Amino acid sequence: MRETTRGTTSGTTSGTTLMDQGTATHCPYCALQCGMWLRPDASGRVTVAPRDVPGSGGGLCRKGWTATDLLTSGRRLTTPLVRRGPGRPLEEAGWEEALDRVAAGIEEIQRASGRDAVAVFGGGGLTNEKAYLLGKFARVALGTANIDYNGRFCMSSAAAAGLRAFGLDRGLPFPLTDVGRARAVLLAGANPAETMPPFVRHLDAQRAAGGSLIVVDPRRTATAARATLHLRPVPGTDLALANGLLHIAVAEGLVDERYVAERTRGFPAVREAVATYWPEHVERITGVPVTDQYRAVRLLAEAPRALVLTARGAEQHSNGTDTVSAFVNLALALGLPGREGSGYGCLTGQGNGQGGREHGQKADQLPGYRRIDDPGARAHVARVWDVPADSLPGPGVSAHELIGSLGTPGGPRGLLVFGSNPVVSAPNANLAERRLRGLDLLVVSDPVLSETAELADVVLPSAQWAEEDGTMTNLEGRVIRRRRALPAPPGVRTDLWIITELSRRLGRPTGFSAEPAEVFEELRRASADGPADYSGISYERIDDEGGVFWPSPAAAAGQDACDDGAGTPRMFLDAFAHPDGKARFVAVQHRPAAEEPDARYPLHLTTGRIMQHYQSGAQTRRIPALTAEASGPYVEIHPDLAARHGIAAGDRVRLVSRRGTAEADARITAAVPPDTLFMPFHWGGAGRANSLVGDALDPVSRMPEFKVSAVRLERVA
């Protein structure tokens, strides 16, 4: 039966079906965006039921099942908080006082130090409407170049590699259901069995049909345990492995020469670049046996449909863009991208990591995935915003560079944070915390008092996912509806309302709206004819078609939909997005991690997520059912390494890097190599894993090197 909705404005409860199953919406966490029904009861509590959507097929993980617990939690914020003087505690305040304080602080800083002295930091979980309006707020109301977001820490390396290879970046340029149809899948640096469990149904379908799964990961994760073949490279050597696999494909005559000739450019340089990556040499660099290298290539090359997928494990490196390019080169050489059922894709992590970077939160972009330094792009967006094109600031700096510059001479003195918790999530977190503490003005909009909000001068309580309407763009590029199931608690406001009210106080009484539908209509116009064209997408089309894949241009006559069906499910079938329609090989060379183990710091540390928690844990650590299962941080240690240090399971251990320390309980497991430690990054305080992570950045994507840090291990007496 077709899902039917009524009441789509933010002032009404929307999404109720004719069968009264509740409100049709999506999970607030990862980019899989599993479907769910929400139904408030008489007491105000909200029950969850799974809803069948193509990506998740009616599945929910532990986080999804418990997502509504935070809606009625006593630990959420329901009134603004203001710090009335240095060293004073945060105190409750009214909205007028809080917003006036923010506006006055912004004006004072900008009068003294210029427009760029106030910065904005956004989040990959914000709806498309909020990401769009936040970008507009930074460029129009504040006039600052300094805006970036935590999505820079997510898939920026894959985005940069996709742009240079294909001319366009969409995480998965094909429907997620293609994964279950592939006869071979290479999954590099992903652990969806824990990070997005309903995704595993596609891997299970693929294996049940006789397909092969190749997992590249130093750890034996829950996903690796399902693999046909598990390749375990030394942390930081994925690029060498990918080049080695391509070397074998060339040497064994497995390259699709016709595809390469007809649909690509640049292969001769890549063929030459991988010539020295013979299997024995690659084994010495990566630790992956020669026989496993050959088997991986043959499984991919002999499959009628094959996919190469990368995620954070391959991307969060100081050479992350080149590493992804190496895997893209392998996929291109085998003739996979742009063929139905085959291809290359990236598994986006954050809920709106894709849409969040398409519409203006990134330092170098305008809505529609336009470059902010492109005169034509600036002119188009300026017309939509009704401002002079030369009034728009130029590109700013990336997230980690922005945080590192806060409070320094010439750097921003004020920061507004929406939907992020950089005190926990930023690399070199000790430095990030010091920079935030040193600001003249720190403003945080958040449903809870996160570690970042605790440092703020003003905290603005914002509505949660089930209390507002909007759109999200999931990991396959499908634009979907998030629907309001219940009103926000008294005293709580939406981020759109907050942005609009601040804009009014800063001298922009028009051009900003608190109504999601109005903001989306403007987003459509701003994105029109851009790389990420949403102009043919409407709330009504999303409802009718269960989501619409971008690009989806509007008809020349001004009608809603000129594309076929639900947008563009499969990209590049006819041509890639470069002017000549051909994909680009990019020759890349392995280089060591920025920080390798030495006598003082002899071990590798790699970080990641676990099933029970999400990102900085600001939400999930406030849900009792999840904290009961994972109450605090831990360190995975190989039994041999633990024995050498006299460490038993449950002992308190300390990790020390050049940046700082972190303490956690020991877990003894052979899932990690003997010279490698694993620590989840969901906690702050003494167990903050990112206190250990360094400042090295990828030169192209500006991605921090989260996945490799040199540390030493100590037992805490």
Side-chain angles (χ1 to χ4, degrees):
M1 180 175 180
R2 171 171 286 185
E3 184 181 301
T4 307
T5 62
R6 61 176 182 263
T8 57
T9 67
S10 63
T12 61
T13 299
S14 59
T16 303
T17 70
L18 295 178
M19 297 176 66
D20 198 27
Q21 292 177 279
T23 300
T25 190
H26 295 266
C27 178
Y29 294 116
C30 79
L32 194 57
Q33 288 293 286
C34 298
M36 54 171 56
W37 296 104
L38 300 184
R39 180 183 293 167
D41 62 23
S43 70
R45 296 196 64 83
V46 183
T47 58
V48 177
R51 183 168 67 93
D52 191 0
V53 298
S56 60
L60 290 174
C61 73
R62 292 285 293 132
K63 293 186 290 293
W65 280 110
T66 59
T68 59
D69 289 3
L70 195 58
L71 297 172
T72 54
S73 169
R75 302 181 67 185
R76 68 176 298 186
L77 299 171
T78 56
T79 187
L81 304 175
V82 171
R83 200 180 303 277
R84 298 187 175 99
R88 296 282 300 276
L90 287 167
E91 301 175 80
E92 292 188 357
W95 275 100
E96 291 295 316
E97 178 189 355
L99 294 174
D100 287 347
R101 169 79 180 276
V102 174
I106 289 171
E107 290 174 337
E108 180 182 352
I109 290 171
Q110 291 191 322
R111 271 196 305 268
S113 302
R115 292 282 191 174
D116 290 343
V118 176
V120 176
F121 197 84
L126 300 180
T127 63
N128 289 317
E129 292 81 356
K130 291 194 281 187
Y132 170 83
L133 205 66
L134 189 61
K136 181 180 180 180
F137 171 77
R139 274 91 184 207
V140 174
L142 296 179
T144 182
N146 285 317
I147 176 172
D148 213 76
Y149 80 129
N150 62 15
R152 181 76 67 168
F153 303 154
C154 180
M155 59 175 293
S156 57
S157 291
L163 284 169
R164 67 188 188 184
F166 309 124
L168 186 63
D169 155 49
R170 195 179 86 187
L172 293 183
F174 46 80
L176 184 55
T177 49
D178 280 6
V179 174
R181 299 172 55 239
R183 295 306 299 269
V185 174
L186 185 148
L187 192 58
N191 181 20
E194 289 197 74
T195 59
M196 49 177 68
F199 175 94
V200 175
R201 66 185 290 266
H202 301 290
L203 299 179
D204 288 345
Q206 185 249 352
R207 293 297 310 280
S212 301
L213 174 63
I214 307 157
V215 172
V216 180
D217 199 310
R219 300 170 60 222
R220 183 170 172 78
T221 64
T223 306
R226 298 169 176 266
T228 309
L229 177 63
H230 180 198
L231 308 181
R232 303 185 70 174
V234 172
T237 64
D238 301 69
L239 196 161
L241 176 61
N243 274 359
L245 298 180
L246 181 50
H247 174 102
I248 291 173
V250 172
E252 295 291 295
L254 299 174
V255 173
D256 188 332
E257 299 287 356
R258 181 175 178 180
Y259 172 97
V260 168
E262 293 179 353
R263 301 208 59 187
T264 73
R265 290 188 182 277
F267 185 58
V270 169
R271 188 196 300 266
E272 181 178 350
V274 302
T276 59
Y277 288 82
W278 57 90
E280 293 77 13
H281 178 52
V282 170
E283 180 175 356
R284 286 194 294 272
I285 296 173
T286 67
V288 176
V290 169
T291 54
D292 287 350
Q293 296 176 47
Y294 274 98
R295 187 181 178 203
V297 175
R298 287 170 180 150
L299 287 173
L300 283 173
E302 294 170 3
R305 295 181 302 277
L307 297 172
V308 174
L309 306 175
T310 64
R312 305 302 82 75
E315 299 158 15
Q316 288 180 325
H317 296 275
S318 58
N319 63 354
T321 301
D322 285 354
T323 298
V324 175
S325 288
F327 282 107
V328 171
N329 288 340
L330 175 64
L332 287 171
L334 297 176
L336 307 181
R339 284 185 169 171
E340 187 168 344
S342 295
Y344 162 79
C346 164
L347 299 183
T348 311
Q350 293 193 78
N352 200 29
Q354 181 74 54
R357 72 178 180 279
E358 291 167 2
H359 299 301
Q361 285 193 99
K362 277 186 73 178
D364 56 353
Q365 287 180 194
L366 289 171
Y369 224 140
R370 290 180 161 91
R371 291 186 58 88
I372 199 169
D373 56 3
D374 177 354
R378 294 169 64 85
H380 171 85
V381 173
R383 283 193 298 272
V384 175
W385 289 350
D386 195 23
V387 298
D390 59 7
S391 72
L392 298 178
V397 296
S398 72
H400 184 51
E401 293 165 301
L402 175 59
I403 292 172
S405 71
L406 297 175
T408 64
R413 294 169 47 201
L415 179 69
L416 283 71
V417 179
F418 286 80
S420 188
N421 186 18
V423 166
V424 175
S425 63
N428 198 348
N430 290 327
L431 174 64
E433 182 174 340
R434 290 197 300 272
R435 294 287 189 253
L436 290 164
R437 287 183 182 277
L439 288 169
D440 295 342
L441 177 68
L442 175 60
V443 180
V444 176
S445 176
D446 205 303
V448 298
L449 193 66
S450 68
E451 286 82 356
T452 302
E454 288 176 353
L455 306 182
D457 299 291
V458 181
V459 182
L460 306 174
S462 57
Q464 292 195 65
W465 58 286
E467 299 161 352
E468 58 185 2
D469 286 318
T471 60
M472 306 285 279
T473 305
N474 72 3
L475 79 171
E476 57 185 351
R478 188 194 301 260
V479 185
I480 56 177
R481 285 286 307 280
R482 174 178 284 182
R483 297 179 177 89
R484 182 174 180 265
L486 72 166
V492 172
R493 303 289 187 268
T494 68
D495 285 323
L496 293 181
W497 184 91
I498 292 168
I499 294 168
T500 300
E501 287 297 307
L502 285 176
S503 300
R504 183 173 62 82
R505 284 168 168 79
L506 294 170
R508 294 286 177 176
T510 61
F512 292 84
S513 173
E515 292 297 321
E518 293 180 8
V519 177
F520 190 77
E521 285 303 305
E522 184 177 299
L523 181 159
R524 294 173 66 190
R525 299 197 306 274
S527 72
D529 298 321
D533 190 338
Y534 282 36
S535 62
I537 304 175
S538 65
Y539 280 13
E540 292 73 23
R541 265 195 85 194
I542 296 171
D543 290 345
D544 289 343
E545 301 174 20
V548 182
F549 291 88
W550 73 263
S552 178
Q559 296 160 1
D560 269 348
C562 72
D563 51 34
D564 189 21
T568 311
R570 291 183 177 84
M571 303 176 73
F572 314 135
L573 294 179
D574 299 318
F576 294 98
H578 288 295
D580 61 1
K582 295 188 176 184
R584 303 294 195 263
F585 281 94
V586 179
V588 292
Q589 295 288 349
H590 166 71
R591 58 184 184 273
E595 183 177 83
E596 293 198 293
D598 57 20
R600 189 176 181 193
Y601 304 100
L603 302 171
H604 292 109
L605 168 69
T606 189
T607 64
R609 284 171 48 195
I610 61 175
M611 182 182 294
Q612 293 83 359
H613 291 293
Y614 180 70
Q615 302 301 88
S616 73
Q619 298 171 78
T620 52
R621 285 187 279 116
R622 289 168 169 81
I623 295 177
L626 298 178
T627 56
E629 297 178 9
S631 59
Y634 59 86
V635 180
E636 290 185 352
I637 308 171
H638 191 277
D640 294 346
L641 180 63
R644 292 202 301 272
H645 285 76
I647 294 170
D651 284 353
R652 194 72 171 174
V653 298
R654 179 185 299 115
L655 304 187
V656 184
S657 78
R658 291 174 175 84
R659 274 74 51 194
T661 65
E663 293 187 6
D665 294 339
R667 287 193 181 180
I668 314 303
T669 173
V672 290
D675 62 351
T676 299
L677 306 169
F678 170 79
M679 189 173 182
F681 60 77
H682 305 295
W683 285 270
R688 184 171 60 188
N690 282 338
S691 296
L692 304 164
V693 173
D695 298 294
L697 298 178
D698 182 285
V700 180
S701 67
R702 316 309 287 169
M703 167 75 83
E705 189 154 58
F706 287 102
K707 291 305 183 192
V708 187
S709 302
V711 299
R712 67 173 178 265
L713 172 66
E714 300 174 351
R715 184 177 183 276
V716 177

